[in-house]
Amino acid sequence: MTEEKEEESTTGLPWPKSWKSAYILVGCNFAFWLVLLVLLGTIGQ
Amino acid sequence: MNELDIAVLLITVFSITAIGIWQTRKRDSLSSYLKGAKQTPWWAIGLSVMATQASAITFLSTPGQGYLSGLGFLQIYFGVPFALILISIFFLPIYHKLNVYTAYEYLEKRFDHKTRLLGAVLFLLQRGIGAGLTIYAPAIVLSTVFGWSIQTTIICCGLLVTFYTMLGGTDAVTVTQKYQLSVIFVGMITAVCLLISKLPPELSLLDAMHLAGGFGKLQAVNFSPDLNERYTLWSGLFGGTFLMLSYFGADQSQVQRYISGSSIRESRLGLLFNALCKIPMQLFILMIGVLMFVFYQFREPPLFFDSRAGASLTTFHTDFKKSHQSVKQSLETWLQAKHRGDTASSTKAFEQAKSSYLDAERVRLDAVKEVAKQKTLKTNDADYVFISFILKELPHGVIGLMVTSFFLAALSSKAAELNALGASTTIDFYMLKVNKEATDIQSLKATKIFTLGWGLVAIMIALVANFSENLIQAVNILGSIFYGVLLALFVVAFFLKRVGGTAIFWSAIVAQTLIFALYLSGTMSYLWFPLIGCSVCVILSLLLQQAINKKNPIENKA
């Protein structure tokens, strides 16, 4: 039971440790690519 | 293709298949056959999820899409990160907790028999046709280019994948996908390196980007609110999230990949790995098309990449060649002026190049109109761009590696589809309707027979298929038609506890009919279908449930 709970709350990775941080990382990663793509669209214009 | 290319193809394809069969030879119970040995680590789940989605169409057709239309197609994947986060939070824990074989089993636990069957039917219909498409797509391109018989290509490819999926089950799919994806990426990276090396030496990568941007190929984000535009930020974010949520959350071919994880943590990490990698991976593939576009500004491209149209287009060649020559000369002048720091001349030359490019495009579009008159050919030649470049510009050995990559990509996604089709037919129909008392051995045998059956169905669909759309779009359109309603079944199941089986069942039927009507009317981009299908189904189910409650208040209280 405790093991199951621990599995629910941690990623088991050195970083990010919590699932919440992992989801934030995914969101930030998307924002990074979106900004990069918008900037890419301005090249040569 | 010469002997070296054929040797690379045969050795790689057969050795990966043999490894897959050998490593998974002891899957002799239904559980180990459908869910694997439950030892799959997160990175293998991640690769398997990625390989299932990335079929041969992805690698053959997407670079052509980038060549012709630029990076705009990338917006379809904007929903992937959000969809995968939602699945990790809501779908995954339920699938793991209930220990289900198929996603549709959950629908019976939550609603009733008929809703489960409806979910399974929607999946089997969509994926059954899709399986034919994933086998037809690479076959039509490869057979056209190499002059192979399309029937032979479809049958060989189809039988090989059916054989190893039938023998090894889920683990065979996961194990082979790992190796297949590695070969595919080696192939794609090699192609990019060779493509860059073939650009004119005086053209830096920054210049190449400037050129592509100036010619409108780097516009990846479209902020237009127009519903008719196929790819916009909004259709990608909202429509795309619903499309991907349905695909990853309710399509058994994906669900089966991540429920085979050794724990919920491994499955979740595998999904988040995809949430991180999907956009850069697709950008990389589209950028191959953009780089090919730059390459072909200095080397005359074919007027139409599907070589079968060649003879009918001779009248356009002179004008096209003239315009292209003008583009090339202007770009050379642009580069020279740029390197000596003459901004005024470089700007003038670049503008001249753009104007000549538009002339060449006009000639090309006239040629496309001519192609349209020949009813046997598709007007969209995006599927032939990359393979045509590979055959004309890359050395032998690398050609073999690239063709191997396409074959392996076809096998990897097809295997996952067959595995899921076999599983759903056994669990949701055979064990539910045909043989309720089936023993483990009987069910395992039935799954293998159904997998073989679906393999043969896919081969037959591929043999009679004819799609007017570009292949990568045809796959997404097909998914969009069915996925919204399929997703709605799960959304209502998870979040609207007061809605019962009858309400959701009839709402799903009405919503699916509406989506068919919308598709046939052609009034909006297909990316909105999942969102509309899902929303209509959810709202209708709430209204219908309210009506049922009013009609039978006592019964419902009880």
Side-chain angles (χ1 to χ4, degrees), chain B residues 256-289:
Chain B
Q256 199 154 348
R257 309 271 59 79
Y258 58 78
I259 59 171
S260 69
S262 59
S263 67
I264 190 167
R265 177 195 281 161
E266 302 298 316
S267 301
R268 196 176 268 162
L269 283 173
L271 287 176
L272 294 184
F273 167 75
N274 275 273
L276 285 172
C277 295
K278 189 66 191 170
I279 292 177
M281 181 187 128
Q282 290 299 140
L283 175 64
F284 171 73
I285 299 171
L286 279 167
M287 279 306 271
I288 295 176

Side-chain angles (χ1 to χ4, degrees), chain A residues 6-8 10-13 19 22-23 25-26 29-30 33-34 37-38 40-41 43-45, chain B residues 71 74 78 81-82 88-89 209-210 213-214 218-219 263-265 268-269 275-276 279-280 283:
Chain A
E6 198 196 312
E7 189 181 284
E8 280 284 314
T10 64
T11 61
L13 299 174
W19 290 113
Y23 300 143
L25 173 71
V26 171
N29 178 66
F30 173 75
W33 285 105
L34 185 63
L37 290 169
V38 171
L40 203 62
I43 295 177
Q45 296 298 306
Chain B
L71 300 180
L74 189 63
F78 281 2
F82 305 103
S88 297
I89 295 173
M209 288 299 102
H210 186 92
L218 295 182
Q219 298 291 335
S263 67
I264 190 167
R265 177 195 281 161
R268 196 176 268 162
L269 283 173
L276 285 172
I279 292 177
L283 175 64

Side-chain angles (χ1 to χ4, degrees), chain B residues 155-433:
Chain B
I155 291 168
C156 290
C157 198
L159 287 181
L160 180 69
V161 67
T162 305
F163 175 67
Y164 77 73
T165 310
M166 193 183 81
L167 282 184
T170 287
D171 270 353
V173 177
T174 310
V175 167
T176 47
Q177 279 180 330
K178 206 165 54 187
Y179 298 114
Q180 287 162 342
L181 207 59
S182 312
V183 176
I184 292 166
F185 278 118
V186 169
M188 297 305 271
I189 291 168
T190 310
V192 170
C193 294
L194 289 171
L195 176 53
I196 291 173
S197 74
K198 283 183 167 290
L199 294 174
E202 60 277 15
L203 184 84
S204 67
L205 262 185
L206 208 64
D207 291 333
M209 288 299 102
H210 186 92
L211 195 165
F215 284 48
K217 299 292 177 188
L218 295 182
Q219 298 291 335
V221 188
N222 179 359
F223 293 94
S224 165
D226 187 353
L227 288 181
N228 286 315
E229 285 205 42
R230 232 176 212 188
Y231 306 115
T232 65
L233 174 65
W234 318 115
S235 69
L237 265 183
F238 299 106
T241 299
F242 274 78
L243 175 65
M244 299 304 168
L245 202 53
S246 331
Y247 174 61
F248 288 104
D251 187 312
Q252 180 64 18
S253 65
Q254 278 294 0
V255 174
Q256 199 154 348
R257 309 271 59 79
Y258 58 78
I259 59 171
S260 69
S262 59
S263 67
I264 190 167
R265 177 195 281 161
E266 302 298 316
S267 301
R268 196 176 268 162
L269 283 173
L271 287 176
L272 294 184
F273 167 75
N274 275 273
L276 285 172
C277 295
K278 189 66 191 170
I279 292 177
M281 181 187 128
Q282 290 299 140
L283 175 64
F284 171 73
I285 299 171
L286 279 167
M287 279 306 271
I288 295 176
V290 172
L291 285 173
M292 274 193 296
F293 173 81
V294 174
F295 169 81
Y296 277 125
Q297 300 316 304
F298 296 91
R299 179 93 54 100
E300 191 184 335
L303 178 56
F304 197 74
F305 282 88
D306 184 349
S307 55
R308 289 173 298 173
S312 61
L313 304 177
T314 40
T315 47
F316 300 95
H317 275 125
T318 321
D319 286 344
F320 185 70
K321 198 175 177 134
K322 206 172 131 195
S323 303
H324 182 266
Q325 206 55 37
S326 172
V327 175
K328 190 183 166 197
Q329 278 165 5
S330 303
L331 285 176
E332 281 165 358
T333 313
W334 164 65
L335 274 177
Q336 285 161 6
K338 204 167 182 242
H339 289 160
R340 56 170 197 268
D342 184 351
T343 317
S345 302
S346 78
T347 310
K348 195 179 160 196
F350 196 71
E351 289 305 316
Q352 176 59 45
K354 279 199 314 196
S355 156
S356 303
Y357 167 71
L358 290 176
D359 290 340
E361 262 304 281
R362 268 190 286 274
V363 179
R364 199 184 70 82
L365 290 174
D366 285 340
V368 169
K369 281 181 197 156
E370 184 61 35
V371 172
K373 288 179 192 163
Q374 304 174 36
K375 304 278 183 215
T376 50
L377 290 180
K378 283 196 298 177
T379 52
N380 192 334
D381 61 341
D383 303 328
Y384 295 88
V385 174
F386 192 33
I387 191 78
S388 167
F389 168 82
I390 289 167
L391 288 178
K392 282 188 186 138
E393 306 295 339
L394 300 188
H396 285 293
V398 178
I399 294 179
L401 178 65
M402 295 310 298
V403 175
T404 307
S405 302
F406 299 141
F407 255 98
L408 293 178
L411 297 184
S412 70
S413 51
K414 182 87 179 62
E417 285 172 343
L418 286 182
N419 187 220
L421 286 165
S424 179
T425 315
T426 307
I427 304 293
D428 299 316
F429 289 93
Y430 174 76
M431 290 171 72
L432 199 69
K433 291 278 177 198

